[in-house]
Amino acid sequence: MMHTKSESDVTSLAASSPPRSPKRQAYYVQSPSRDSHDEDKSSSMQATPVYNSPMESPSHPSYGRHSRASSGSRFSGTFRSSSGHKAHKRNDKGWPECNVIQEEGSYDDLDDDRGLSRRCQFAIALLSFVLLFTVFSLIIWGASRPYKPDIVVKSLSVVNFFSGEGTDNTGVPTKMVTMNCTLKMNIHNPASLFGIHVSSSAVNLIFSEIAIATGQVQKYYQPRKSNHLVSVILQGEKVPLYGAGAGFSVASNGGPIPLTLDFTIKARGEVIGKLVRTTHYKHVSCPLIIDTSKTKPIKILQKSCTIT
């Protein structure tokens, strides 16, 4: 025999059952009986819980510990129900089934990309170093340009001088001159960062555009911020004067002869080894007059010389 439950009994049962959560309240909705002819049966009661939010619904997937483990797989795509609403298929445990996107390719491709990036990084670092070194070298080179050597011509000593008639290699008669003298000058290196390698072109003693005595500075190295006294021997033996000999008249007892001293000094400084060099040229031209009857050194005035 079936006992019918009255509305008061259902209400007392609901009151006696402990609530699930203080925030969640259960409400019961009475639904009419499907069989209206059955008067002995009381109205059936269906307890339909009302949820405060869609997140509490069983149809909504909860994200807990299991969802973290499943979040490692990426999924795409949704399914639609017959009613048109989006729905997910569920597995045996009630979790929605998703299409897992499988990544194509191997990790070797990633290693190749990584290796390529390393090569690019190395190339960029090398180019940066070369650029910085070039800029640094240009700065050092520009800073070393003002340090030109200073040249002071001091004196010329005539050791031997002879003039007379003679013939050249072709047998043409002309006046000839033989001369031997010593030139002294001082070279100063003002640079404080590098030394210089000093050399020169031919040092000529010229009479009417004819070099009657020639010499050359022997190449040497001069330290930074230093002075060096240079001696150059000028020699000329039986130098034909040709047309200039008409004005080259020397008395037996001697006399003044106008000459011109002309040469170029080359100073090369190695700032950073052979990578960065600086080179300076100094052209010297000094007019002077010698007297063959005197053996004392001829002092050359610095203001009379042209140094460029």
Side-chain angles (χ1 to χ4, degrees), residues 39-110:
E39 296 180 355
D40 296 336
K41 295 181 180 179
S42 61
S43 299
S44 61
M45 304 292 294
Q46 291 184 352
T48 304
V50 179
Y51 298 94
N52 295 329
S53 63
M55 296 297 295
E56 298 176 0
S57 175
S59 62
H60 192 280
S62 60
Y63 296 91
R65 297 180 180 177
H66 298 286
S67 63
R68 293 181 182 177
S70 63
S71 63
S73 301
R74 293 182 292 175
F75 58 88
S76 63
T78 56
F79 301 93
R80 295 181 177 273
S81 62
S82 60
S83 61
H85 297 286
K86 295 181 178 180
H88 296 281
K89 292 182 178 181
R90 301 178 178 275
N91 54 14
D92 298 338
K93 296 183 179 181
W95 299 104
E97 294 183 355
C98 304
N99 294 331
V100 180
I101 300 176
Q102 295 182 358
E103 298 180 355
E104 298 182 356
S106 60
Y107 290 100
D108 296 337
D109 298 337
L110 299 178

Coordinates of all heavy atoms in Angstrom, one line a residue, residues 39-110:
E39 N -7.5 10.4 -7.7 CA -7.7 11.3 -6.5 C -7.0 10.8 -5.3 O -6.8 11.5 -4.4 CB -9.2 11.5 -6.3 CG -9.9 12.2 -7.4 CD -11.4 12.4 -7.1 OE1 -11.8 11.9 -6.1 OE2 -12.1 13.0 -7.9
D40 N -6.8 9.5 -5.2 CA -6.2 8.9 -4.0 C -4.7 9.3 -3.9 O -4.1 9.4 -2.8 CB -6.3 7.4 -4.0 CG -7.8 7.0 -3.9 OD1 -8.6 7.8 -3.4 OD2 -8.1 5.9 -4.4
K41 N -4.2 9.5 -5.1 CA -2.7 9.9 -5.0 C -2.6 11.4 -4.9 O -3.3 12.1 -5.5 CB -2.0 9.4 -6.3 CG -2.0 7.9 -6.5 CD -1.2 7.6 -7.7 CE -1.2 6.1 -7.9 NZ -0.5 5.7 -9.2
S42 N -1.8 11.8 -4.0 CA -1.6 13.2 -3.8 C -0.7 13.8 -4.9 O -0.1 13.0 -5.7 CB -0.9 13.5 -2.5 OG 0.4 12.8 -2.4
S43 N -0.7 15.0 -5.0 CA 0.1 15.7 -6.0 C 1.6 15.3 -5.8 O 2.1 15.4 -4.7 CB -0.1 17.2 -5.9 OG -1.4 17.5 -6.2
S44 N 2.2 14.9 -6.9 CA 3.6 14.5 -6.9 C 4.4 15.8 -6.8 O 4.1 16.8 -7.4 CB 4.0 13.7 -8.1 OG 3.8 14.5 -9.3
M45 N 5.5 15.7 -6.1 CA 6.4 16.8 -5.8 C 7.7 16.5 -6.5 O 8.3 15.5 -6.4 CB 6.6 17.1 -4.3 CG 5.3 17.3 -3.5 SD 4.5 18.8 -3.9 CE 5.7 19.9 -3.3
Q46 N 8.1 17.5 -7.3 CA 9.5 17.4 -7.9 C 10.4 18.5 -7.4 O 10.0 19.7 -7.5 CB 9.4 17.5 -9.5 CG 8.7 16.4 -10.1 CD 8.7 16.5 -11.6 OE1 9.1 17.6 -12.1 NE2 8.3 15.5 -12.3
A47 N 11.4 18.0 -6.8 CA 12.4 19.0 -6.3 C 13.4 19.4 -7.3 O 14.2 18.6 -7.8 CB 13.1 18.4 -5.1
T48 N 13.2 20.6 -7.8 CA 14.1 21.1 -8.8 C 15.0 22.2 -8.2 O 14.5 23.3 -7.9 CB 13.3 21.7 -10.0 OG1 12.4 20.7 -10.5 CG2 14.2 22.2 -11.1
P49 N 16.2 21.9 -8.1 CA 17.1 23.0 -7.5 C 17.3 24.1 -8.5 O 17.5 23.9 -9.7 CB 18.4 22.2 -7.2 CG 18.4 21.1 -8.2 CD 17.0 20.7 -8.4
V50 N 17.4 25.3 -7.9 CA 17.6 26.5 -8.7 C 19.0 26.9 -8.4 O 19.4 27.1 -7.2 CB 16.6 27.6 -8.4 CG1 17.0 28.8 -9.2 CG2 15.2 27.1 -8.7
Y51 N 19.8 27.1 -9.4 CA 21.2 27.5 -9.2 C 21.4 29.0 -9.3 O 20.7 29.7 -10.1 CB 22.1 26.8 -10.2 CG 22.0 25.3 -10.1 CD1 21.1 24.5 -10.8 CD2 22.8 24.6 -9.1 CE1 21.1 23.2 -10.7 CE2 22.8 23.3 -9.0 CZ 21.9 22.5 -9.8 OH 21.8 21.2 -9.6
N52 N 22.3 29.4 -8.5 CA 22.5 30.9 -8.5 C 23.1 31.4 -9.7 O 23.0 32.6 -10.1 CB 23.3 31.3 -7.3 CG 22.6 31.0 -6.0 OD1 21.4 31.0 -5.9 ND2 23.3 30.6 -4.9
S53 N 24.0 30.6 -10.4 CA 24.7 31.1 -11.5 C 24.9 29.9 -12.5 O 24.8 28.8 -12.1 CB 26.1 31.6 -11.1 OG 26.9 30.6 -10.6
P54 N 25.2 30.2 -13.8 CA 25.4 29.1 -14.7 C 26.6 28.3 -14.4 O 26.7 27.1 -14.9 CB 25.6 29.9 -16.1 CG 25.0 31.2 -15.9 CD 25.1 31.5 -14.4
M55 N 27.5 28.8 -13.6 CA 28.7 28.0 -13.3 C 28.4 26.9 -12.4 O 29.2 25.9 -12.4 CB 29.8 28.9 -12.7 CG 30.3 30.1 -13.5 SD 31.2 29.4 -15.0 CE 32.6 28.6 -14.1
E56 N 27.3 26.9 -11.7 CA 27.0 25.9 -10.7 C 26.2 24.8 -11.4 O 25.9 23.7 -10.8 CB 26.1 26.4 -9.6 CG 26.9 27.5 -8.8 CD 26.0 28.1 -7.7 OE1 24.8 27.7 -7.6 OE2 26.5 28.9 -6.9
S57 N 25.8 25.0 -12.7 CA 25.0 24.0 -13.4 C 25.9 22.7 -13.7 O 27.1 22.9 -14.0 CB 24.5 24.6 -14.7 OG 23.8 23.6 -15.4
P58 N 25.3 21.5 -13.6 CA 26.1 20.3 -13.9 C 26.5 20.3 -15.4 O 27.5 19.7 -15.7 CB 25.2 19.2 -13.6 CG 24.2 19.8 -12.7 CD 24.0 21.2 -13.1
S59 N 25.7 21.0 -16.3 CA 26.1 20.9 -17.7 C 27.3 21.7 -18.0 O 27.9 21.6 -19.1 CB 24.9 21.4 -18.5 OG 24.6 22.7 -18.2
H60 N 27.6 22.6 -17.1 CA 28.8 23.5 -17.3 C 30.1 22.8 -16.8 O 30.1 22.4 -15.6 CB 28.6 24.8 -16.7 CG 29.6 25.8 -17.1 ND1 30.9 25.9 -16.6 CD2 29.5 26.8 -18.0 CE1 31.6 26.8 -17.1 NE2 30.8 27.4 -18.0
P61 N 31.0 22.7 -17.6 CA 32.3 21.9 -17.1 C 33.0 22.7 -16.1 O 33.2 24.0 -16.2 CB 33.1 21.8 -18.4 CG 32.6 22.9 -19.3 CD 31.2 23.1 -19.0
S62 N 33.3 22.1 -15.0 CA 34.0 22.7 -13.9 C 35.5 22.6 -14.2 O 35.9 21.5 -14.7 CB 33.6 22.1 -12.5 OG 33.9 20.8 -12.5
Y63 N 36.3 23.5 -13.8 CA 37.7 23.5 -14.0 C 38.4 23.4 -12.7 O 38.5 24.4 -11.9 CB 38.1 24.8 -14.8 CG 37.5 24.9 -16.1 CD1 36.3 25.6 -16.3 CD2 38.2 24.3 -17.2 CE1 35.8 25.7 -17.6 CE2 37.6 24.4 -18.5 CZ 36.4 25.1 -18.7 OH 35.8 25.2 -19.9
G64 N 38.9 22.3 -12.4 CA 39.6 22.0 -11.2 C 40.9 21.4 -11.4 O 41.6 21.8 -12.3
R65 N 41.2 20.4 -10.6 CA 42.5 19.8 -10.8 C 42.6 19.1 -12.1 O 43.7 19.1 -12.8 CB 42.8 18.8 -9.6 CG 42.8 19.5 -8.3 CD 43.0 18.5 -7.2 NE 43.1 19.1 -5.9 CZ 43.2 18.5 -4.7 NH1 43.3 17.1 -4.8 NH2 43.3 19.1 -3.6
H66 N 41.5 18.4 -12.5 CA 41.5 17.6 -13.7 C 41.6 18.6 -14.9 O 42.2 18.2 -15.9 CB 40.3 16.7 -13.8 CG 40.2 15.7 -12.8 ND1 41.0 14.6 -12.7 CD2 39.4 15.6 -11.6 CE1 40.7 13.9 -11.6 NE2 39.8 14.5 -11.0
S67 N 41.0 19.7 -14.8 CA 41.0 20.7 -15.9 C 42.4 21.2 -16.2 O 42.8 21.5 -17.3 CB 40.1 21.8 -15.7 OG 40.5 22.6 -14.6
R68 N 43.2 21.3 -15.1 CA 44.6 21.7 -15.3 C 45.4 20.7 -16.1 O 46.2 21.1 -16.9 CB 45.3 22.0 -14.0 CG 44.7 23.1 -13.2 CD 45.4 23.3 -11.9 NE 44.7 24.4 -11.1 CZ 45.1 24.8 -9.9 NH1 46.1 24.1 -9.3 NH2 44.5 25.8 -9.3
A69 N 45.2 19.4 -15.8 CA 45.9 18.4 -16.5 C 45.5 18.4 -18.0 O 46.3 18.1 -18.9 CB 45.7 17.0 -15.9
S70 N 44.2 18.6 -18.2 CA 43.7 18.6 -19.6 C 44.0 19.8 -20.4 O 43.8 19.8 -21.6 CB 42.2 18.3 -19.6 OG 41.5 19.4 -19.0
S71 N 44.4 20.9 -19.7 CA 44.7 22.2 -20.4 C 45.9 22.1 -21.2 O 46.2 23.0 -21.9 CB 44.8 23.3 -19.4 OG 45.8 23.1 -18.5
G72 N 46.7 21.0 -21.0 CA 48.0 20.9 -21.8 C 47.7 20.7 -23.2 O 48.5 20.9 -24.1
S73 N 46.5 20.1 -23.6 CA 46.1 19.9 -25.0 C 45.3 21.0 -25.5 O 44.4 21.5 -24.8 CB 45.3 18.6 -25.1 OG 46.1 17.5 -24.6
R74 N 45.7 21.5 -26.6 CA 44.9 22.6 -27.2 C 43.8 22.0 -28.1 O 44.1 21.0 -28.8 CB 45.9 23.5 -28.1 CG 46.9 24.3 -27.2 CD 47.7 25.1 -28.1 NE 48.6 24.3 -28.9 CZ 49.4 24.8 -29.9 NH1 49.4 26.1 -30.1 NH2 50.2 24.0 -30.6
F75 N 42.7 22.6 -28.1 CA 41.5 22.0 -28.8 C 40.9 23.2 -29.6 O 41.0 24.3 -29.3 CB 40.6 21.3 -27.9 CG 40.0 22.2 -26.9 CD1 38.9 23.0 -27.1 CD2 40.6 22.3 -25.6 CE1 38.4 23.8 -26.1 CE2 40.2 23.2 -24.7 CZ 39.0 23.9 -24.9
S76 N 40.1 22.7 -30.6 CA 39.4 23.7 -31.4 C 38.1 23.0 -31.9 O 38.0 21.8 -32.0 CB 40.2 24.2 -32.6 OG 40.5 23.1 -33.4
G77 N 37.2 23.8 -32.3 CA 35.9 23.3 -32.8 C 34.9 23.1 -31.8 O 35.1 22.8 -30.6
T78 N 33.6 23.4 -32.2 CA 32.5 23.2 -31.3 C 31.4 22.4 -32.0 O 31.4 22.3 -33.2 CB 31.9 24.6 -30.9 OG1 31.6 25.3 -32.1 CG2 32.9 25.4 -30.1
F79 N 30.6 21.8 -31.2 CA 29.5 21.0 -31.8 C 28.1 21.7 -31.5 O 28.0 22.4 -30.5 CB 29.5 19.6 -31.1 CG 30.7 18.9 -31.4 CD1 31.8 18.9 -30.4 CD2 30.9 18.1 -32.5 CE1 32.9 18.3 -30.6 CE2 32.1 17.5 -32.7 CZ 33.1 17.5 -31.8
R80 N 27.2 21.6 -32.4 CA 25.9 22.2 -32.2 C 24.9 21.1 -32.0 O 24.9 20.1 -32.7 CB 25.6 23.0 -33.4 CG 26.5 24.2 -33.6 CD 26.1 25.1 -34.8 NE 26.9 26.2 -34.9 CZ 26.7 27.4 -34.3 NH1 25.7 27.5 -33.5 NH2 27.5 28.4 -34.5
S81 N 24.0 21.4 -31.1 CA 22.9 20.5 -30.8 C 21.8 20.6 -31.9 O 21.9 21.5 -32.7 CB 22.4 20.7 -29.4 OG 21.9 22.0 -29.3
S82 N 20.8 19.8 -31.8 CA 19.7 19.9 -32.7 C 19.0 21.1 -32.6 O 18.3 21.6 -33.5 CB 18.8 18.6 -32.5 OG 18.3 18.6 -31.2
S83 N 19.0 21.7 -31.4 CA 18.3 23.0 -31.2 C 19.0 24.2 -31.7 O 18.5 25.3 -31.7 CB 17.9 23.2 -29.7 OG 19.1 23.2 -29.0
G84 N 20.3 24.0 -32.2 CA 21.0 25.1 -32.7 C 22.0 25.7 -31.7 O 22.9 26.5 -32.1
H85 N 21.9 25.3 -30.4 CA 22.9 25.8 -29.4 C 24.2 25.0 -29.5 O 24.2 23.8 -29.8 CB 22.2 25.7 -28.0 CG 21.0 26.5 -27.9 ND1 21.0 27.9 -27.8 CD2 19.7 26.2 -27.9 CE1 19.8 28.4 -27.7 NE2 19.0 27.3 -27.8
K86 N 25.2 25.7 -29.1 CA 26.6 25.0 -29.1 C 26.6 24.0 -28.0 O 26.2 24.3 -26.8 CB 27.7 26.0 -28.9 CG 27.8 27.0 -30.1 CD 28.9 27.9 -29.9 CE 29.1 28.8 -31.1 NZ 30.2 29.8 -30.9
A87 N 27.1 22.9 -28.2 CA 27.3 21.8 -27.2 C 28.5 21.0 -27.5 O 29.0 20.9 -28.6 CB 26.0 20.9 -27.2
H88 N 29.1 20.5 -26.4 CA 30.3 19.7 -26.5 C 29.9 18.3 -26.2 O 29.1 17.9 -25.4 CB 31.3 20.2 -25.4 CG 31.8 21.6 -25.7 ND1 32.8 21.9 -26.6 CD2 31.5 22.7 -25.1 CE1 33.0 23.2 -26.6 NE2 32.2 23.7 -25.7
K89 N 30.6 17.4 -27.0 CA 30.4 16.0 -26.7 C 31.2 15.6 -25.4 O 32.2 16.2 -25.1 CB 31.0 15.1 -27.8 CG 30.2 15.2 -29.1 CD 30.8 14.3 -30.2 CE 30.0 14.4 -31.4 NZ 30.6 13.5 -32.5
R90 N 30.7 14.7 -24.7 CA 31.2 14.3 -23.4 C 31.7 12.8 -23.4 O 31.1 12.0 -24.1 CB 30.2 14.5 -22.3 CG 29.7 15.9 -22.2 CD 28.7 16.1 -21.1 NE 28.3 17.5 -21.0 CZ 28.9 18.4 -20.2 NH1 30.0 18.0 -19.6 NH2 28.5 19.6 -20.2
N91 N 32.7 12.6 -22.6 CA 33.2 11.2 -22.5 C 32.5 10.5 -21.4 O 31.5 11.0 -20.8 CB 34.7 11.2 -22.4 CG 35.2 12.1 -21.2 OD1 34.3 12.5 -20.4 ND2 36.4 12.4 -21.1
D92 N 33.1 9.4 -21.0 CA 32.5 8.6 -19.9 C 32.5 9.3 -18.6 O 31.6 9.0 -17.8 CB 33.2 7.2 -19.8 CG 33.0 6.4 -21.1 OD1 32.1 6.7 -21.9 OD2 33.9 5.5 -21.3
K93 N 33.5 10.1 -18.4 CA 33.6 10.8 -17.1 C 32.8 12.1 -17.1 O 32.8 12.8 -16.0 CB 35.1 11.1 -16.8 CG 35.9 9.8 -16.6 CD 37.3 10.1 -16.2 CE 38.1 8.9 -16.0 NZ 39.5 9.1 -15.6
G94 N 32.2 12.4 -18.2 CA 31.4 13.7 -18.2 C 32.2 14.9 -18.6 O 31.6 16.0 -18.6
W95 N 33.4 14.7 -19.1 CA 34.2 15.9 -19.5 C 34.0 16.1 -21.0 O 33.8 15.1 -21.8 CB 35.7 15.6 -19.3 CG 36.0 15.5 -17.8 CD1 36.3 14.3 -17.2 CD2 36.1 16.5 -16.9 NE1 36.6 14.6 -15.9 CE2 36.5 15.9 -15.7 CE3 35.9 17.9 -16.9 CZ2 36.6 16.7 -14.5 CZ3 36.1 18.6 -15.8 CH2 36.4 18.0 -14.6
P96 N 34.0 17.3 -21.5 CA 33.7 17.5 -22.9 C 34.9 17.0 -23.7 O 36.0 17.2 -23.4 CB 33.6 19.1 -23.0 CG 34.3 19.6 -21.8 CD 34.1 18.5 -20.7
E97 N 34.5 16.4 -24.9 CA 35.6 15.9 -25.8 C 35.9 17.0 -26.8 O 35.1 17.7 -27.3 CB 35.1 14.7 -26.5 CG 34.8 13.5 -25.7 CD 34.4 12.3 -26.5 OE1 34.2 12.5 -27.7 OE2 34.2 11.2 -25.9
C98 N 37.2 17.1 -27.0 CA 37.7 18.2 -27.9 C 38.6 17.6 -28.9 O 39.3 16.6 -28.7 CB 38.4 19.3 -27.1 SG 37.4 20.0 -25.8
N99 N 38.8 18.3 -30.0 CA 39.7 17.9 -31.1 C 41.1 18.4 -30.7 O 41.3 19.6 -30.6 CB 39.3 18.4 -32.4 CG 38.0 17.8 -32.9 OD1 37.7 16.7 -32.5 ND2 37.2 18.5 -33.7
V100 N 42.0 17.5 -30.6 CA 43.4 17.9 -30.2 C 44.2 18.3 -31.5 O 44.1 17.5 -32.5 CB 44.1 16.8 -29.4 CG1 45.5 17.2 -29.1 CG2 43.3 16.5 -28.2
I101 N 44.8 19.4 -31.5 CA 45.6 19.8 -32.6 C 47.0 19.2 -32.5 O 47.7 19.5 -31.5 CB 45.7 21.4 -32.7 CG1 44.3 21.9 -32.9 CG2 46.6 21.8 -33.8 CD1 44.3 23.4 -32.8
Q102 N 47.3 18.4 -33.4 CA 48.7 17.8 -33.4 C 49.6 18.7 -34.1 O 49.4 19.0 -35.3 CB 48.6 16.4 -34.0 CG 47.8 15.4 -33.2 CD 47.8 14.1 -33.8 OE1 48.4 13.9 -34.8 NE2 47.1 13.1 -33.1
E103 N 50.7 19.1 -33.5 CA 51.7 19.9 -34.1 C 52.6 19.1 -35.1 O 53.1 18.0 -34.7 CB 52.6 20.6 -33.1 CG 51.8 21.5 -32.2 CD 52.7 22.1 -31.1 OE1 53.9 21.8 -31.1 OE2 52.2 23.0 -30.4
E104 N 52.8 19.6 -36.3 CA 53.6 18.9 -37.2 C 55.1 19.4 -37.2 O 55.3 20.5 -36.8 CB 53.1 19.1 -38.6 CG 51.7 18.6 -38.8 CD 51.2 18.8 -40.2 OE1 51.9 19.4 -41.0 OE2 50.1 18.3 -40.5
G105 N 56.0 18.6 -37.5 CA 57.4 19.0 -37.5 C 58.1 18.4 -36.4 O 57.5 18.0 -35.4
S106 N 59.4 18.3 -36.5 CA 60.3 17.8 -35.4 C 61.1 18.9 -34.7 O 61.1 20.0 -35.2 CB 61.3 16.7 -36.0 OG 62.1 17.4 -37.0
Y107 N 61.7 18.5 -33.7 CA 62.5 19.5 -32.9 C 63.8 19.8 -33.6 O 64.5 20.7 -33.2 CB 62.8 18.9 -31.5 CG 61.6 18.9 -30.6 CD1 60.9 17.7 -30.4 CD2 61.1 20.0 -30.0 CE1 59.7 17.6 -29.7 CE2 59.9 20.0 -29.2 CZ 59.3 18.8 -29.0 OH 58.2 18.7 -28.3
D108 N 64.2 19.0 -34.6 CA 65.4 19.4 -35.4 C 65.3 20.7 -36.1 O 66.2 21.5 -36.2 CB 65.7 18.3 -36.4 CG 66.0 16.9 -35.7 OD1 66.4 17.0 -34.5 OD2 65.8 15.9 -36.4
D109 N 64.0 21.0 -36.5 CA 63.8 22.3 -37.2 C 64.0 23.4 -36.2 O 64.6 24.5 -36.6 CB 62.4 22.4 -37.8 CG 62.1 21.3 -38.8 OD1 63.1 20.9 -39.4 OD2 61.0 21.0 -39.1
L110 N 63.6 23.2 -35.0 CA 63.8 24.3 -34.0 C 65.3 24.4 -33.7 O 65.8 25.6 -33.5 CB 63.1 23.9 -32.7 CG 61.6 23.8 -32.8 CD1 61.0 23.4 -31.4 CD2 61.0 25.1 -33.2

